[in-house]
Amino acid sequence: MSQFDEVIPRTGTNSEKWDGVEELFGRKDIIPMWVADMDFRAPKPVLDAFQRQIDHGIFGYSAKSESLVDAVINWNKEQHQFEIDPSTLFFNGAVVPTISLAIRSLTNKGDAVLMVSPIYPPFFNVTKATERKVVMSPLIYENHQYRIDFNDLEERMKTENIKLFLLCNPQNPGGRCFTKEELNQLAKLCEKYQIPVVSDEIHADLVMKNHKHVPLMVAAPFYSDQIITLMAATKTFNLAAIKASYYIITNKDYQDKFAAEQKYATTNDLNVFGIVGTEAAYRGGADWLNELKDYIYSNFEYVKDMLEKEVPEVGITDLEATYLMWLDCRALPKGEKAIYADLIDAGVGVQMGSGFGYSGKGFVRLNIACPKETLEKGVKLLIKGLKK
Ligand SMILES: Cc1ncc(COP(=O)(O)O)c(C=O)c1O
């Protein structure tokens, strides 16, 4: 038995994923397989660190420590062979606010911001909200996997006066873990058109067997002064609630621009749980993470087998990274709206592909980071809804 087999009820715990189902799907008895958090308890060293803080009982203003910086640097060196100079490392409450900070720091209103599609929705929502122009380059879907259409990307760079590229690697949705060669090619294109890159690598640690996350700054050292890397321990260790993330900028001019913009945003304080949670996870969470990745991959294999047997028209995207399956439902004899309604009717809550940009249309995103017991129930309902 794995520690991840334990079913921990989350209803009534202020959980967006579980307590938000009635508002989102219109009924309470839904198995939620949507928003990207996991139904697993965080690693014991993290819980112990939180407990020590609670036992202390004072929750005044917090200050991050040298040892947090040290833990971040060591983790990235060991896990990703990514050497971070402490003078280039900055902290911020969460990754999405840092995407907004980056857009506001590096572009002006009306500027064009390029991204691939489908993509994690805040990429285009934040771009729009900050009054920049969204430019999307559709990924090519082939042999159950996405790849970047470099010709299309270059065409847009050439013609659309792009001021910033937003990269999501590993990719959400679609679960791609881009190779060093692809990243290198991407950076060369950005260099050719003088476009800085924000590289959101929040899923870096959730990479499955036979794949390796390469930070963009490592894949393309020649361009590292035009790259801003965003990372966090929160996705890896199921700590989204503590709102803690960090970013790496080597370019002094960009550091100054971010600092100036931060003065308005004033979101750069980490809360005490963000500080101790991130450090404890990085110092003591590696074994938990290895077990987690095996568990997620066996969940993936289970869902794949079941769907291949029961609904063979559905294409299963390979899972190179993340715990988010991406189901190609375009061959089903019904459209997205009907699929969504049938799935809710069956009792499972998912996210539909077009929510991730127009090229996601016809796909379903399925969060499989839950105990086997929950997964089996959810998949049964999923099959029922898809077959209807
Ligand atoms: C690519 C990506 N970036 C950022 C986030 C959210 O990060 P945060 O909660 O730190 O804002 C997610 C959450 O799913 C994500 O998939």
Side-chain angles (χ1 to χ4, degrees):
M1 172 148 172
S2 158
Q3 60 176 311
F4 301 112
D5 281 329
E6 187 187 350
V7 176
I8 305 167
R10 296 183 65 192
T11 303
T13 65
N14 302 305
S15 153
E16 183 181 359
K17 186 180 182 182
W18 286 80
D19 293 316
V21 289
E22 191 172 9
E23 193 182 331
L24 189 65
F25 301 110
R27 52 186 282 199
K28 267 189 187 153
D29 55 341
I30 285 270
I31 303 243
M33 303 181 83
W34 64 292
V35 67
D37 76 18
M38 309 193 260
D39 296 332
F40 304 133
R41 191 175 282 122
K44 177 87 168 48
V46 175
L47 302 180
D48 290 345
F50 288 162
Q51 194 58 54
R52 279 193 296 277
Q53 205 67 42
I54 288 168
D55 289 344
H56 181 248
I58 299 176
F59 301 94
Y61 294 113
S62 34
K64 61 181 190 302
S65 60
E66 286 291 312
S67 68
L68 168 66
V69 171
D70 207 53
V72 168
I73 288 173
N74 287 340
W75 177 264
N76 279 286
K77 196 187 294 177
E78 278 164 25
Q79 299 287 324
H80 308 300
Q81 294 68 56
F82 184 21
E83 303 273 349
I84 301 171
D85 179 325
S87 69
T88 67
L89 175 64
F90 303 87
F91 291 84
N92 198 14
V95 170
V96 172
T98 314
I99 295 173
S100 168
L101 174 66
I103 293 172
R104 286 178 285 120
S105 303
L106 301 178
T107 65
N108 296 310
K109 282 186 182 167
D111 283 351
V113 177
L114 180 62
M115 61 200 75
V116 298
S117 162
I119 197 86
Y120 176 58
F123 275 48
F124 49 81
N125 287 336
V126 172
T127 302
K128 280 185 211 154
T130 51
E131 297 175 59
R132 274 65 172 173
K133 183 180 158 208
V134 176
V135 179
M136 285 186 177
S137 172
L139 292 167
I140 297 170
Y141 191 79
E142 224 169 46
N143 300 327
H144 304 283
Q145 198 47 278
Y146 281 117
R147 63 184 167 82
I148 297 170
D149 184 343
F150 283 105
N151 291 330
D152 181 85
L153 207 64
E154 177 156 18
E155 194 52 35
R156 290 174 201 272
M157 289 179 177
K158 209 188 285 178
T159 58
E160 304 230 27
N161 196 17
I162 305 294
K163 297 294 184 199
L164 184 65
F165 182 79
L166 300 182
L167 173 69
C168 185
N169 180 42
Q171 166 86 11
N172 171 22
R176 248 337 286 286
C177 172
F178 294 114
T179 62
K180 194 172 176 182
E181 291 68 33
E182 287 171 295
L183 295 169
N184 200 275
Q185 193 176 347
L186 176 70
K188 281 191 181 137
L189 263 190
C190 290
E191 185 183 38
K192 185 169 168 191
Y193 295 94
Q194 291 295 296
I195 301 168
V197 186
V198 171
S199 183
D200 177 345
E201 303 184 13
I202 193 172
H203 294 276
D205 303 316
L206 294 165
V207 169
M208 303 294 132
K209 312 169 184 185
N210 306 325
H211 296 278
K212 169 107 187 90
H213 175 73
V214 184
L216 184 64
M217 281 174 156
V218 173
F222 62 90
Y223 204 53
S224 63
D225 80 328
Q226 293 300 320
I227 298 167
I228 290 94
T229 305
L230 316 185
M231 291 180 137
T234 50
K235 192 65 60 190
T236 315
F237 296 100
N238 206 24
L239 300 168
I242 67 174
K243 301 281 177 202
S245 76
Y246 52 93
Y247 55 98
I248 298 110
I249 311 183
T250 58
N251 184 315
K252 185 77 184 69
D253 181 38
Y254 290 170
Q255 288 179 4
D256 292 345
K257 286 188 159 134
F258 272 61
E261 193 60 43
Q262 274 284 29
K263 279 191 191 146
Y264 297 106
T266 64
T267 58
N268 57 338
D269 283 346
L270 292 186
N271 71 68
V272 76
F273 292 100
I275 294 169
V276 300
T278 300
E279 177 170 356
Y282 280 169
R283 291 203 189 279
D287 291 344
W288 181 96
L289 176 60
N290 285 333
E291 200 181 324
L292 171 83
K293 289 194 288 184
D294 287 344
Y295 197 87
I296 288 168
Y297 205 76
S298 76
N299 276 3
F300 167 73
E301 287 175 323
Y302 170 78
V303 179
K304 184 172 189 284
D305 281 355
M306 291 295 288
L307 289 178
E308 280 174 352
K309 229 181 285 160
E310 299 288 338
V311 209
E313 305 90 316
V314 171
I316 313 292
T317 307
D318 299 339
L319 192 75
E320 296 181 358
T322 80
Y323 47 76
L324 305 162
M325 286 183 70
W326 188 242
L327 310 176
D328 180 359
C329 298
R330 291 173 299 175
L332 287 179
K334 54 185 174 183
E336 226 190 56
K337 273 197 182 133
I339 296 174
Y340 190 60
D342 288 345
L343 292 179
I344 294 173
D345 203 41
V348 62
V350 300
Q351 273 164 294
M352 301 310 292
S354 57
F356 298 85
Y358 57 87
S359 52
K361 192 167 180 210
F363 288 79
V364 165
R365 198 188 78 166
L366 186 77
N367 180 344
I368 55 166
C370 60
K372 289 263 167 4
E373 193 182 316
T374 313
L375 187 76
E376 284 169 15
K377 280 188 201 152
V379 169
K380 213 167 133 192
L381 302 173
L382 179 79
I383 290 168
K384 189 175 158 200
L386 291 173
K387 274 185 169 175
K388 200 172 158 194

